[in-house]
Amino acid sequence: MKKIILLLLFVSTVSFDSQKGDAYDVGEWFKFRIHYGFINAGYATMEVKEATLNNRKVFHVIGKGYTTGMSRFFLK
């Protein structure tokens, strides 16, 4: 009896599989702060755009970064 209940529970949880959505979409952007403890070293941004490559739609991710504060003095 326990095996039948476990089998039914297993089948019911596996059979209802749903499709996961994309982690990101066109037009989204992300901003990251780069730091060493409490000292800010800079910021980085990433932007997701749509492009076409070989007649297929693809994501074009553009990344930019810049230093701030005293880090700019040491890292140009």
Side-chain angles (χ1 to χ4, degrees):
M1 185 69 180
K2 289 182 183 179
K3 290 182 182 180
I4 294 173
I5 292 173
L6 287 174
L7 180 66
L8 288 174
L9 182 64
F10 178 74
V11 169
S12 66
T13 57
V14 174
S15 63
F16 298 110
D17 191 20
S18 63
Q19 185 177 3
K20 294 182 180 180
D22 291 333
Y24 47 84
D25 201 7
V26 175
E28 292 188 17
W29 60 274
F30 308 96
K31 185 172 185 176
F32 303 98
R33 180 177 70 113
I34 298 135
H35 61 93
Y36 302 102
F38 61 89
I39 299 171
N40 281 340
Y43 291 94
T45 59
M46 294 176 67
E47 183 180 1
V48 181
K49 293 187 176 183
E50 189 174 16
T52 304
L53 181 67
N54 295 332
N55 295 326
R56 297 179 72 189
K57 288 186 178 182
V58 295
F59 290 120
H60 182 195
V61 179
I62 301 169
K64 296 179 183 177
Y66 58 95
T67 57
T68 60
M70 286 298 291
S71 299
R72 184 181 299 163
F73 177 72
F74 294 107
L75 306 169
K76 290 188 178 191

